[in-house]
Structure formats: structure tokens, C-alpha cells
Amino acid sequence: MTPVGIGLLGLGRWGRNYLKTLSALPECRLVAAADPDPAAREAAAGPAGIAKYGSAIQLFSDPAVKAVIIATPDYSHFKLAAAALSMGHDVLVEKPMTLSSDEAEQLVKQADDKGLVLGVGHTAVYSTDIEALRIRLGAAPDEQQRVIAERTSSGPSPLRQSPIAGRPAAIIYDLCPHDIALGVLLFGAPGAARANANGKKVEYEVRFGRGETLAGRAEWREPPHVRRFEVADSPGNGVPPSTSPLPQGRGNKREGAEAVSFVDIRETPLGLQCLDFIESCRIRRQMTSSGPVGMSVV
């Protein structure tokens, strides 16, 4: 099996996570990386022989690049993904895939028209047992189906603030897409949504086609952080609430005076997401976290 040649666009904090993950997966070959910041290019380690570029067009034009991963700020996602698709590359773009529904629809149509893979980076999709949640929800088919989500984080660094006037890096774009993507995979495309937000907290509700509800909350705050996505208890259904934990990989002990735990990259949410993208490119299928899922989230 020939490894898929991948180009990585964006070498910031999350881009470096991709760099480390892709470098450890034999199913792909990380052939190129790009970032306009020379310091970021210099600091980014990578496999021997990796090409480093200062612009997206240089990376897209590299003949060794067959698929592109876009880990740049959200305001740049649409233009970069559209350009990569126009040059015939399969694309995995970080969430949110775009900042408007029209742009999301354009990307999905563009990928469909060209027969290309379009995926979106919702790592929570790869850290949750979705099938177990479907079984729990199916255990009470006559009840009003409802899930509850909560997600907190320390918040973005100043370097991640959006330069778009009037729109700082918004929590609803940063944290909420993960859990909304899970709701889409469980219930299908949303029918309606509403949210109350300030700079540090958002409470939202998403309603789906058969009346299912996702009630969510996200907040910037100090650790410890919360990751919760569970089936809400319904009176009389006999099924208690169940949290779907986020696995951290297998903990193992190495020989030596002290026990040291480590994580198999292949079993992390990001590793599983990358493997899904690579296999989708190889056999020409949609990812679990597909372009249409990302469009529904937007």
C-alpha cells in the first residue's frame, strides 16, 4: 500500500499536533508543510526530507502532495480549502469549516463536483462511542430524546484572536462545534438552534428533525476542565444518564525505576481522525466527520 502524500498547512499550536501525529503514521507520508511565519517553519520538527513553504500555493503546487490538512485560523478556512479543492486535493479542514453557511455549502458542492474527499476536524467525534449512545437512545424510542453537552477550556491565546473587525476568537466557533457534530451524527441535520453568549460562556440548544434536542454549554475558565456528552434522563425510561468519556489512549508502563505512562498516537482522537482521513483518501469514501457534517454544524 502506497502511503498517501500529505501537505500540512499551518504550523501553530494545533498544526504542530498534526505534525507530530502524521509523522508517526506509516499509512501516510508527510511530504510538505507551510506557514507564512519563518519562525514557525524553523521551529517545526518533521520527518527527514519534508519540504517547508512560506505560502499555501507553494504547498498546493508540490506534485508530491495529494491531500491537504488545513490547521490555520478559522477566518482563513474557506479560501484555503476552496483553493486546495480547485487544485484537485482531498482536504481535511479544521473546525469550523467556514464562518458562514453559504461558504460551507460551496465547499461541499465543490468537493462533490470534483469527486474529492472533504472532511472537518471535529476530534470529539473520534473520542466518543457514538454507537453506544445510539443504543442508549434507542432503548427509549417513545421518549423525547435529549442529550446534554458541556465543554470548558482555558481559552485562546492572544495569537489566535481573529483579525476580523468586531469578531474576536468566539467560543461558539471554538468549543461548540465538537458537540454539535456529535448531535448531527446522532440525529441528522439540525432544524433550528438558539444561543445566549457573552465573551466567556455560551449556552445553546439545537433541535433536530424528529424533535430531538441537544442542550449545550461551553465556557472559557481555569482548569480543571469538563468534557461531558450524555443522554439526559427521561422520567420512566429506566435508563440512567451516561457520560461518554474521552479516552486518553492506553496507559502502559516502561521498564525502569519509575513507571511512565504514554499514549499510542493511533488511539488518540487526533490520531483516529487522521487515520479516517487517510483511509477515506485511499478508498474514496467520506470521513465520519465529513464535509456535510461540518456544513450542518456551521
Side-chain angles (χ1 to χ4, degrees), residues 197-212:
N198 58 32
K200 292 187 175 182
K201 182 172 69 175
V202 59
E203 294 180 350
Y204 62 94
E205 182 179 86
V206 184
R207 292 190 177 274
F208 297 86
R210 294 184 299 274
E212 307 97 336

Side-chain angles (χ1 to χ4, degrees), residues 58-291:
Q58 289 176 301
L59 183 139
F60 298 159
S61 300
D62 188 325
V65 173
K66 306 303 179 186
V68 172
I69 294 178
I70 298 172
T72 59
D74 58 13
Y75 56 84
S76 66
H77 289 176
F78 171 67
K79 287 186 177 180
L80 292 173
L85 291 168
S86 72
M87 296 183 72
H89 297 304
D90 296 318
V91 171
L92 170 60
V93 59
E94 262 303 305
K95 56 78 190 166
M97 66 184 292
T98 64
L99 298 181
S100 78
S101 298
D102 287 346
E103 290 176 344
E105 290 172 5
Q106 288 180 51
L107 290 185
V108 169
K109 184 178 187 305
Q110 189 177 1
D112 285 346
D113 289 347
K114 287 181 167 289
L116 296 170
V117 173
L118 175 61
V120 185
H122 301 119
T123 51
V125 166
Y126 299 92
S127 62
T128 305
D129 190 340
I130 298 170
E131 193 54 39
L133 285 170
R134 285 196 181 108
I135 291 170
R136 288 187 60 79
L137 290 163
D142 296 329
E143 300 289 345
Q144 187 70 43
Q145 295 189 333
R146 186 169 182 263
V147 293
I148 297 172
E150 185 176 10
R151 185 171 293 265
T152 69
S153 178
S154 297
S157 69
L159 293 176
R160 290 174 59 207
Q161 297 298 313
S162 168
I164 299 174
R167 199 193 75 80
I171 189 170
I172 200 164
Y173 287 105
D174 212 318
L175 291 185
C176 300
H178 289 296
D179 295 318
I180 297 173
L182 284 168
V184 170
L185 286 170
L186 287 171
F187 302 129
R194 62 181 180 181
N196 258 330
N198 58 32
K200 292 187 175 182
K201 182 172 69 175
V202 59
E203 294 180 350
Y204 62 94
E205 182 179 86
V206 184
R207 292 190 177 274
F208 297 86
R210 294 184 299 274
E212 307 97 336
T213 302
L214 165 62
R217 179 179 179 275
E219 184 177 8
W220 300 137
R221 74 178 195 198
E222 295 300 315
H225 294 307
V226 177
R227 299 288 190 275
R228 185 166 72 109
F229 191 94
E230 66 184 29
V231 178
D233 194 15
S234 297
N237 71 6
V239 183
S242 168
T243 298
S244 202
L246 306 188
Q248 302 301 314
R250 291 177 182 171
N252 295 285
K253 294 182 179 179
R254 294 174 178 169
E255 294 181 0
E258 295 183 0
V260 180
S261 65
F262 67 97
V263 174
D264 182 350
I265 281 179
R266 301 177 67 86
E267 295 181 5
T268 64
L270 185 58
L272 292 168
Q273 177 180 279
C274 289
L275 287 169
D276 188 15
F277 179 55
I278 293 163
E279 185 67 2
S280 296
C281 295
R282 192 178 69 81
I283 67 173
R284 315 312 302 166
R285 63 156 166 82
Q286 283 195 347
M287 290 178 64
T288 298
S289 183
S290 65

